[in-house]
Amino acid sequence: SKISLCAAIVDADLFLMDDGAGGTIRKTTASRLKTYAGGKVLQIKYAFNTAAHSTPSTAYSTIETVAITPTKAGSVIKLIFSGRSYTASTSIEHYGSFYRDSTILEQYTGQWSTSGATAQREIFEYFDASHNTTSEITYSFQHKSGNSGEAMIFSPNGGADGGVYLTAMEFDTWL
């Protein structure tokens, strides 16, 4: 027979589990599972565009921004940037960075050495556990070339490349 819960799970509900997989059944409350199972998603914000983003400069250029207003100062914001990158250079160093407002959070370095022009889809992730605010934050993903005059391009063919995405997800850590 099929049994379903008719009410939401609350902290006082009991769960039965095998203690250490040794055959001894123990009970625990739902409230204890929170600290073991992790957090929950509080909100998701994202930005998307199909414009080509090219920089032959060794100074950072913004590809995309997203704003989020955290609901908890102690939450974690997971950032994900995804886009197709391209270079015509046979050897180029390029950099991608996440920023929180004007503060650099993380810098990624890539070294390309090829026999000609090449493109690939790139995904970058960062977890911001130090924002400590409930005021609006603007995150950005920026990139630059490591070789002055040699262009690093995201979405060189615009929408045909699928565009670029910057996602900000707020997680409640229950800590």
Side-chain angles (χ1 to χ4, degrees):
S1 74
K2 188 174 175 181
I3 300 173
S4 65
L5 295 173
C6 296
I9 295 172
V10 297
D11 285 348
D13 286 342
L14 294 176
F15 283 84
L16 299 176
M17 59 185 62
D18 186 348
D19 187 8
T24 302
I25 302 299
R26 305 254 185 222
K27 63 182 176 181
T28 188
T29 62
S31 63
R32 290 193 61 204
L33 293 178
K34 288 181 188 178
T35 58
Y36 182 77
K40 66 179 178 177
V41 176
L42 297 174
Q43 63 175 315
I44 300 173
K45 302 288 183 181
Y46 75 94
F48 164 79
N49 74 67
T50 57
H53 301 275
S54 176
T55 183
S57 173
T58 56
Y60 276 108
S61 172
T62 299
I63 299 176
E64 189 58 89
T65 63
V66 65
I68 189 168
T69 304
T71 57
K72 294 186 172 189
S75 65
V76 173
I77 308 292
K78 179 180 181 179
L79 303 171
I80 303 170
F81 173 81
S82 173
R84 184 170 176 258
S85 60
Y86 169 85
T87 185
S89 300
T90 56
S91 180
I92 188 172
E93 192 170 69
H94 74 100
Y95 303 89
S97 291
F98 284 110
Y99 279 77
R100 178 180 60 228
D101 298 320
S102 62
T103 302
I104 190 168
L105 298 172
E106 180 82 348
Q107 177 177 285
Y108 305 91
T109 304
Q111 178 69 46
W112 289 30
S113 294
T114 66
S115 57
T118 188
Q120 67 182 17
R121 170 114 352 233
E122 295 192 72
I123 298 173
F124 301 88
E125 296 180 312
Y126 181 78
F127 290 87
D128 183 6
S130 63
H131 64 81
N132 199 31
T133 186
T134 56
S135 298
E136 184 179 82
I137 302 168
T138 300
Y139 289 101
S140 64
F141 189 82
Q142 303 182 22
H143 74 122
K144 68 179 180 178
S145 173
N147 308 35
S148 183
E150 295 184 13
M152 190 68 207
I153 306 166
F154 276 89
S155 292
N157 300 308
D161 288 325
V164 295
Y165 295 84
L166 180 56
T167 305
M169 295 184 284
E170 181 184 15
F171 288 90
D172 183 356
T173 60
W174 282 321
L175 297 176

